[in-house]
Amino acid sequence: MFEQQWLLFNSQLPATPSSPRVSVWRRLRAAGALGLQNGVWLLPRSPEHEQFLEKLAGYVTNQGGTVQHFGVTSLGHTTEAEIIKQFVMERQAEYEELGQHCREFQAEMEKEIGQQRFTYGELEESEANFERLERWLRKIQERDFFGGEAAQTAVTEVENCRQALQTFTRFVYAEEGFPPPEEEEGAK
């Protein structure tokens, strides 16, 4: 049976200032690393992750810290399954939070349409909010190493936001006396 290869990372930094420790923590979280305990982190082994940890090790050393990182495999399928489950659960929580923000975005679009607030300012704000949701989804997907049902649900939620924004956009264009964006693009 195939065994997942892992990268294990452990670093120690001086207590003060705290900013390097926070920076390391943030970088590892952003990369999708799983925090095991007492500053020990785990990532699936890949050339990209190896390069990332090498750079992070250099940062830790430059900050006066020490670092150890290894390529490892689990010694049991139960342990490996539990680790993968933890990765999936962390991403699922992120996808669920994104989904909540998507539902809020859709409710906001419905409210704007209901109140007929078809202004260019509202459209710009809504486009910026939607772009944030798209970027957030991409960031989660980049650190989602094992997929799951929550990933597809999040993609659907963001697509629903796109459709709500397109509907709102058509109303704003009509209010301003312009053809809908689809018709404008087709005329080019």
Side-chain angles (χ1 to χ4, degrees), residues 11-144:
S11 64
Q12 296 292 317
L13 283 155
T16 57
S18 64
S19 56
R21 283 183 290 126
V22 171
S23 178
V24 168
W25 176 81
R26 288 186 66 151
R27 291 177 193 189
L28 286 161
R29 296 293 299 163
L34 179 66
L36 297 178
Q37 54 184 282
N38 300 328
V40 177
W41 296 85
L42 197 65
L43 277 167
R45 188 171 201 159
S46 73
E48 296 82 15
H49 289 154
E50 287 179 15
Q51 183 179 21
F52 165 71
L53 291 180
E54 280 295 323
K55 287 181 181 177
L56 191 57
Y59 172 79
V60 169
T61 302
N62 287 338
Q63 297 300 315
T66 59
V67 65
Q68 303 85 36
H69 52 106
F70 309 90
V72 298
T73 57
S74 68
L75 294 178
H77 296 294
T78 303
T79 299
E80 188 164 294
E82 181 59 34
I83 287 170
I84 291 172
K85 179 181 173 185
Q86 288 178 34
F87 271 103
V88 170
M89 288 173 43
E90 284 193 8
R91 295 303 81 79
Q92 182 176 343
E94 289 182 283
Y95 284 129
E96 288 173 1
E97 184 178 357
L98 172 62
Q100 177 60 39
H101 285 266
C102 285
R103 290 184 290 281
E104 290 169 4
F105 178 87
Q106 291 174 55
E108 181 66 22
M109 291 292 86
E110 290 173 12
K111 177 181 153 196
E112 299 298 340
I113 291 170
Q115 294 178 352
Q116 298 185 358
R117 295 179 64 181
F118 306 132
T119 67
Y120 185 70
E122 289 294 332
L123 178 58
E124 276 189 321
E125 180 182 341
S126 298
E127 288 172 337
N129 290 339
F130 175 71
E131 288 170 7
R132 276 192 288 277
L133 293 173
E134 280 188 314
R135 281 192 307 273
W136 190 2
L137 175 62
R138 283 192 303 272
K139 285 182 179 182
I140 298 170
Q141 289 173 321
E142 287 172 5
R143 58 183 170 250
D144 184 3

Side-chain angles (χ1 to χ4, degrees), residues 147-154:
E149 202 173 297
Q152 185 53 49
T153 300

